[in-house]
Amino acid sequence: EPEVTQTPSHQVTQMGQEVILRCVPISNHLYFYWYRQILGQKVEFLVSFYNNEISEKSEIFDDQFSVERPDGSNFTLKIRSTKLEDSAMYFCASRDRAIHNEQFFGPGTRLTVL
Amino acid sequence: DQQVKQNSPSLSVQEGRISILNCDYTNSMFDYFLWYKKYPAEGPTFLISISSIKDKNEDGRFTVFLNKSAKHLSLHIVPSQPGDSAVYFCAASAGSYNTDKLIFGTGTRLQVFP
């Protein structure tokens, strides 16, 4: 069964460093998302991406964040200068064309900022 | 901003019995609702969904009920099995309003004991 994959599973970084989280969405999907879950809190939407551009972003997704689909398979989330409060699980998700189809989530990347 | 609420942080049910997980929402624009199941260190896994034009959707042991007037939905699991033990998230979206981001509740931890 096709699935969303994410690498790395765990990333430890120093405050102020740049990190890139990688995702490979399901191959025939067209819509891509990043969510995050801070420990003990709910899953929060960060950004959606369609047709090589951001379609929607949350207030969390400030200028320190960017997303890119550098080739036909990868979807990346970059945090330019990490802060302690960026420590969280980051989930990538994708869905296919129909608006009401479910989003399929990857296993997540645990980001720890020291 | 708690547009989706799951007021029960935990639920304990005996194997073979019914599990009922509840979810309330406040945003009248939500038109699609989903339930996800999450194990520790994994991403959310889609379980079942319902459109706002329906009041019930069933898939095997899982049934979701939607009461639009009360802005309430519930997930019934019958019969409950130990493998159902996980955190269950309710999520909602407002696809008819050109947004497909999912708004999640805080989750309910279900424990099914023998």
Side-chain angles (χ1 to χ4, degrees), chain B residues 34-62:
Chain B
L34 308 91
W35 284 94
Y36 283 85
K37 174 181 178 180
K38 187 179 181 301
Y39 294 115
E42 294 185 12
T45 301
F46 171 75
L47 270 180
I48 191 169
S49 61
I50 188 166
S51 165
S52 60
I53 62 173
K54 296 185 176 180
D55 54 20
K56 177 182 174 181
N57 188 26
E58 192 171 353
D59 183 2
R61 295 186 299 114
F62 302 93

Side-chain angles (χ1 to χ4, degrees), chain A residues 1-49:
Chain A
E1 185 173 326
E3 58 182 16
V4 177
T5 59
Q6 291 184 243
T7 54
S9 57
H10 190 191
Q11 175 88 49
V12 181
T13 190
Q14 294 289 326
M15 188 171 56
Q17 295 296 303
E18 174 183 288
V19 294
I20 298 176
L21 310 183
R22 291 183 166 80
C23 168
V24 179
I26 294 173
S27 63
N28 63 336
H29 284 189
L30 301 174
Y31 300 82
F32 314 111
Y33 310 83
W34 284 100
Y35 292 80
R36 78 173 186 189
Q37 184 181 28
I38 295 172
L39 187 64
Q41 298 185 23
K42 58 183 174 180
V43 177
E44 302 173 287
F45 168 79
L46 291 178
V47 66
S48 56
F49 191 87

Side-chain angles (χ1 to χ4, degrees), chain B residues 4-69:
Chain B
V4 178
K5 302 177 192 177
Q6 293 177 256
N7 292 319
S8 298
S10 64
L11 175 67
S12 189
V13 172
Q14 190 172 29
E15 182 179 6
R17 301 277 203 159
I18 184 171
S19 295
I20 300 176
L21 295 97
N22 294 302
C23 177
D24 297 295
Y25 63 95
T26 57
N27 191 337
S28 300
M29 294 196 298
F30 288 148
D31 57 6
Y32 195 61
F33 304 89
L34 308 91
W35 284 94
Y36 283 85
K37 174 181 178 180
K38 187 179 181 301
Y39 294 115
E42 294 185 12
T45 301
F46 171 75
L47 270 180
I48 191 169
S49 61
I50 188 166
S51 165
S52 60
I53 62 173
K54 296 185 176 180
D55 54 20
K56 177 182 174 181
N57 188 26
E58 192 171 353
D59 183 2
R61 295 186 299 114
F62 302 93
T63 303
V64 56
F65 295 92
L66 175 62
N67 182 334
K68 281 193 299 181
S69 62

Side-chain angles (χ1 to χ4, degrees), chain A residues 56 74 85 94:
Chain A
E56 187 174 3
N74 290 285
E85 55 264 37
S94 69

Side-chain angles (χ1 to χ4, degrees), chain A residues 33 35 56 95 100 103 106, chain B residues 32 36 43-44 99-100 102 104:
Chain A
Y33 310 83
Y35 292 80
E56 187 174 3
R95 71 170 174 90
H100 284 322
Q103 295 178 19
Chain B
Y32 195 61
Y36 283 85
T99 173
D100 57 355
L102 295 180
F104 282 85

